[in-house]
């Protein structure tokens, strides 16, 4: 048998994959048989050495990476293609949304954006009691987790206080599911302290939701509105990301002779290759794939010109440390002033490049800089602009260092603030931390409290209990395997929880 | 004018366990008890500049300056704590001296993140002139005036001193190390008449923010409770915040390293005692499971 036949047979006979997971593996393998898009030699070399990475979107990109349909418009007008009238009741709205989700593609095949759930459903709940609302939303949430088994599937709530947002927070605390991923939009002008406290109370029970700074994001997407999708990507509503490519800053730094060489030559040189890859990939998607003939476009749910390429970076920590050693500087990123000051200079240089460079297919003809949260096989690079796991300073210094980058990354920059379990007894401390982080300009962040069953990987979640199960019997979750790989290769469980006092914990000796 | 300065062991900008919300905690160097079970014994003494630790530092982060004072270079330090283990005075060369305005600056840099501050130690009240000056400055500065201020204390401070301090703080978290004076002396080296007087004074002035019992099985005399302890507990208002801490070995040196750590059962039994005494607001340690994962 040929190599590819061997590979296909091993998929077909894999005892741990479900039939759907096998079908998807088959499809990915088929795509790999096509020749790669036509690229320059320089770019091909950079791709092979993975200085520039294409994020596994395939050789023939026939769908955008992330799609954010205008679900409110869909509910209001119904759909000719799907033969659905406008929604009139909560039951209709939930059912119709559940239908449309199955027609929204992404790099994973499953929708990465479920909408601003509370805003979407508010018009339909006047006659619904609190108890009914809770029960209906809970069933909806269970259905999402079981039918869209992928932790990149993402819903948004907030910043307004309403019965739906409150119900969803309570449901999250009760169900503790990995799907959907959830972001709460915080707006100091709109969100009450009481609602933020409900959010942090939920956090203390299930490490969800992620928190985003609404006014900071809104300012970036004034014409279109926005949503937070997948592993924390902020994108235009009614659009999305046509592709994501990312630059390995560690490797760029290692190609450099000096700080000057890094800024003046290597960064611009590899940035050019990033743009070349973006042009090649988006050309196929927009000009050849036919994707934009979809009913999603003809019914006005998405607009081709609202799709932007995401220009991702990762391994900033290693780049900074390498450049520090070239300059004979002691210390490391996260723990030395010199390094902590260099890091945002790199972010600013990247931002200047990306905001000044024309792309053919991008909202306002620009790509969006993104601090990429890593993939499960990054064993030598830290996600995005984060501080390496295990080397984080005290949590407040951590937040201040992280925040120094946030202005430069409009399409998302996430950080995981790892806390010790003792905070569970004092949710007010988490509330205060979140409030402070938002106040000093964090665009978004997630809090991960040690020892809970739901664990943040790069940004999506897995269940600790699933890690053990996966190896024995496989998993119905498509992301569990990515989570396990990340645990093995990227050291996510080494994140340093800020320990407060041993006397306040008790762990019995067996 | 000569304004007081403080010797500070450490400042934590995030603590969820030193009062309500997130606290900025200032650990003052020096304590007037010598608890065998102390889990940071290097905060007890104050450096006498003997210099014995200097040759032991593997990073050469310690040195003696021209004035005969031991200097610590934080940038060179790897926090290996060798200096602490060789110090014969239970002190630390890694302390910092702060003026009132320097400490106020630290607080101001962190106001977005904190609900309040907690003065701890060592024993904060052993540097009373400084904390009085600092709290007065904090209360009169518009940027920090709204922060709540708590003091973590062993209760050895005298009545007149409390009268100066209490108007400046929202409350005091008082440690009860043992109930009978002999037992207190065996554990801490001192009798506890002043602690009980402080407890009375704090209750009467409505400044008891938390009453803390550190439970050491077979060492502390809380379980079963002596009659006069029960009497005191029954006299407390039902809402009095109480915290049971469980003795663990972390950081402990000497004889106490052989004492048994508190287990969940020990905690629950004493919790039951407190509940039976009518106390409703009792916090106990968070139970952490030993991590077990299928990966190395």
């Amino acid at each position: 048998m040929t190599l590819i036949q061997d590979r296909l047979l091993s998929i077909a006979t894999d005892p741990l994959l479900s039939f759907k997971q096998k079908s998807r593996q088959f499809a990915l393998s088929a795509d790999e048989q096509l020749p790669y898009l036509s690229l320059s030699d320089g770019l091909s070399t950079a791709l092979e050495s993975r200085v520039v990475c294409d994020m596994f979107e395939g050789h023939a990109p026939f769908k955008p990476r992330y799609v954010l349909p205008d679900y409110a418009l869909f509910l209001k007008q119904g759909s000719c293609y799907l033969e659905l009238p406008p929604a009139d009741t909560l039951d209709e709205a939930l059912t119709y949304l559940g239908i449309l989700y199955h027609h929204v593609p992404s790099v994973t095949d499953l929708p990465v954006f479920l909408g601003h759930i509370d805003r979407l459903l508010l018009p339909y709940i006047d006659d619904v009691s609190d108890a009914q609302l809770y029960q209906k939303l809970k069933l909806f949430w269970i259905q999402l987790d079981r039918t869209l088994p992928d932790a990149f599937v993402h819903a948004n709530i907030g910043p307004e206080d309403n019965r739906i947002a409150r119900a969803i927070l309570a449901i999250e605390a009760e169900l503790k599911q990995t799907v959907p991923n959830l972001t709460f939009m915080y707006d100091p002008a709109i969100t009450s302290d009481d609602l933020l406290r409900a959010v942090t109370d939920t956090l203390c029970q299930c490490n969800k939701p992620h928190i985003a700074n609404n006014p900071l994001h809104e300012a970036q997407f004034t014409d279109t509105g926005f949503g937070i999708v997948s592993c924390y990507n902020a994108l235009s509503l009614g659009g999305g990301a046509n592709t994501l490519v990312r630059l390995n800053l560690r490797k760029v730094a290692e190609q450099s002779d000096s700080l000057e060489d890094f800024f003046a030559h290597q960064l611009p040189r590899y940035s050019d290759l990033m743009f070349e890859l973006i042009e090649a990939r988006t050309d196929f998607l927009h000009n050849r794939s036919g994707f934009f003939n979809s009913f999603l476009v003809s019914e006005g749910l998405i607009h081709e010109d609202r799709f932007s390429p995401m220009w991702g970076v990762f391994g900033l920590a290693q780049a900074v440390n390498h450049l520090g050693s070239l300059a004979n500087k002691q210390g490391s990123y996260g723990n030395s002033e010199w390094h902590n000051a260099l890091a945002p200079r790199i972010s600013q240089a990247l931002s200047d490049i990306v905001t000044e460079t024309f792309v053919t297919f991008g909202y306002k003809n620009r790509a969006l800089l993104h601090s990429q949260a890593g993939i499960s096989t990054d064993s030598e690079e830290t996600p995005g602009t984060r501080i390496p796991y295990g080397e984080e300073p005290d949590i407040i210094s951590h937040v201040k260092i992280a925040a120094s980058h946030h202005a430069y990354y409009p399409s998302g920059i996430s950080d995981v603030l790892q806390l010790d379990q003792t905070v569970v007894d004092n949710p007010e401390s988490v509330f205060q931390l979140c409030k402070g982080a938002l106040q000093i300009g964090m665009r978004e962040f997630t809090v991960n409290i040690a020892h809970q069953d739901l664990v943040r990987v790069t940004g999506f979640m897995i269940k600790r209990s699933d890690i053990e199960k996966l190896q024995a019997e496989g998993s119905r979750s498509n992301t569990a395997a990515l989570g396990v790989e990340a645990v093995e290769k990227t050291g996510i469980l080494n994140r340093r929880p800020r320990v407060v006092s041993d006397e306040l914990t008790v762990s019995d000796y067996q | 004018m000569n304004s007081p300065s403080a010797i500070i062991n450490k400042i934590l900008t995030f603590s969820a366990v030193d009062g309500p919300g997130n606290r900025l905690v200032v650990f003052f160097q020096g304590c007037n008890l010598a608890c065998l079970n102390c889990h940071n014994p290097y905060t007890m003494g104050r450096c006498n500049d003997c210099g014995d630790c200097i040759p032991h530092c593997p990073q050469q982060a310690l040195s003696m300056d021209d004035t005969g004072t031991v200097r610590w270079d934080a940038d060179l330090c790897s926090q290996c704590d060798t200096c602490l283990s060789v110090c014969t005075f239970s002190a630390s060369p890694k302390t910092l001296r702060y003026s009132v305005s320097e400490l106020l600056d630290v607080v101001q840099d962190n106001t977005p993140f904190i609900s309040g501050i907690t003065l701890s130690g060592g024993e904060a009240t052993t540097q009373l002139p400084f904390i009085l000056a600092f709290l007065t400055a904090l209360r009169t500065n518009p940027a920090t005036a709204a922060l709540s201020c708590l003091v973590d204390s062993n209760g050895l401070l005298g009545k007149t001193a409390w009268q100066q301090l209490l108007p400046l703080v929202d409350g005091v978290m008082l440690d009860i190390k043992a109930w009978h004076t002999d037992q207190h002396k065996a554990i801490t080296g001192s009798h506890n008449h002043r602690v009980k007087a402080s407890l009375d004074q704090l209750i009467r002035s409505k400044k008891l923010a938390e009453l803390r019992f550190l439970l050491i099985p077979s060492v502390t005399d809380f379980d079963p409770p002596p009659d006069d302890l029960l009497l005191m507990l029954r006299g407390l208002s039902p809402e009095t915040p109480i915290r049971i801490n469980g003795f663990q070995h972390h950081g402990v040196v000497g004889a106490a390293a052989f004492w048994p750590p508190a287990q969940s059962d020990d905690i629950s039994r004493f919790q039951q005692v407190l509940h039976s005494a009518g106390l409703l607001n009792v916090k106990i340690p968070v139970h952490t499971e030993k991590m077990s994962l299928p990966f190395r």
Side-chain angles (χ1 to χ4, degrees), chain B residues 257-279:
Chain B
F258 298 95
W259 292 351
Q263 308 246 348
S264 306
D265 288 352
D266 304 313
I267 308 280
S268 327
R269 267 202 319 279
F270 188 51
Q271 188 182 17
Q272 201 49 51
V273 168
L274 295 171
H275 284 162
S276 315
L279 296 163

Side-chain angles (χ1 to χ4, degrees), chain A residues 73 106 278:
Chain A
L73 180 65
S106 78
I278 283 171

Side-chain angles (χ1 to χ4, degrees), chain A residues 252-253 255-269 322-324 326-327 338 342 345-346 349:
Chain A
V252 177
Q255 306 266 320
S256 309
D257 302 334
S258 64
L259 217 56
E260 206 267 328
D261 184 39
F262 175 80
F263 282 110
H265 304 115
Q266 303 303 333
L267 210 51
R269 178 177 137 216
H322 185 79
L323 295 170
L326 288 181
W338 187 89
L342 174 62
R345 269 183 61 204
I346 298 177

Side-chain angles (χ1 to χ4, degrees), chain A residues 330 394-397 399-400 419 421-426 428-430 432-433 435-437 439-440 451 464 467-468 471 484 487-488 493 498 500-509, chain B residues 12-17 19-22 37 39 109-115 214 243 245-248 250 261-264 267 283-295:
Chain A
Q330 296 249 341
D394 73 88
I395 194 89
I396 306 298
S397 306
V399 168
K400 289 177 181 169
L419 294 179
Q421 199 177 6
T422 45
V423 301
V424 173
D425 235 13
N426 184 357
E428 183 72 11
S429 66
V430 181
Q432 194 66 47
L433 173 67
K435 217 165 169 192
Q439 197 179 320
I440 67 158
H451 296 251
R464 213 178 272 281
I467 299 179
E468 294 169 47
Q471 291 176 326
V484 170
V487 168
E488 286 173 333
L493 296 179
R498 272 28 83 95
V500 248
S501 162
D502 276 9
E503 285 176 355
L504 295 166
T505 63
V506 53
S507 49
D508 291 338
Y509 293 74
Chain B
L12 274 187
T13 51
F14 182 89
S15 168
V17 296
N22 179 30
N37 56 280
H39 60 87
D109 281 348
N110 290 286
T111 43
F113 297 98
I114 56 179
S115 321
L214 174 64
R243 182 181 280 281
N245 288 336
F247 173 64
Q248 301 294 329
H250 174 79
Q263 308 246 348
S264 306
I267 308 280
K283 286 198 167 143
I284 61 168
V286 176
H287 194 280
T288 64
E289 282 161 37
K290 289 262 183 255
M291 293 275 289
S292 86
L293 276 164
F295 304 107

Side-chain angles (χ1 to χ4, degrees), chain A residues 54 57 64-66 241-245 277-278 281-282 285 308-311:
Chain A
D54 71 357
E57 290 169 13
R65 184 175 186 89
Y66 302 130
N242 40 23
T243 186
L244 163 63
V245 300
L277 184 57
I278 283 171
R281 301 197 62 82
T282 52
L285 176 73
S308 303
M310 292 171 67
W311 208 103

Side-chain angles (χ1 to χ4, degrees), chain A residues 501-503, chain B residues 9 27-45 90-91 120-123 154 175 177 186-189 214 216 219 246-259:
Chain A
S501 162
D502 276 9
E503 285 176 355
Chain B
N9 181 279
F27 294 92
F28 288 83
Q29 181 74 21
C31 184
N32 43 7
L33 289 182
C35 302
L36 294 172
N37 56 280
C38 184
H39 60 87
N40 40 19
Y42 52 87
T43 61
M44 284 182 195
S90 296
S120 183
E123 171 62 32
N154 62 22
D175 280 330
K177 315 270 187 186
I187 297 174
T188 70
L214 174 64
I216 315 173
V219 176
F247 173 64
Q248 301 294 329
H249 286 156
H250 174 79
V252 171
V253 294
F258 298 95
W259 292 351

Side-chain angles (χ1 to χ4, degrees), chain A residues 248-254 256 259 262-263 314-347 350 382 384-388 391 401 404-405 409:
Chain A
N248 184 332
L249 293 173
R250 171 179 75 87
K251 292 189 174 178
V252 177
E254 285 173 3
S256 309
L259 217 56
F262 175 80
F263 282 110
F314 71 118
L316 176 72
Q318 287 70 30
V320 168
N321 290 346
H322 185 79
L323 295 170
S325 66
L326 288 181
N328 281 322
K329 296 290 177 187
Q330 296 249 341
S332 63
Y333 178 47
N335 299 288
S336 123
E337 281 186 26
W338 187 89
H339 293 75
N340 295 347
L342 174 62
R345 269 183 61 204
I346 298 177
S347 290
L350 289 162
T382 303
T385 59
R386 294 183 194 172
I387 298 166
E391 296 175 22
I401 295 166
S404 68
H405 297 278
Y409 294 89

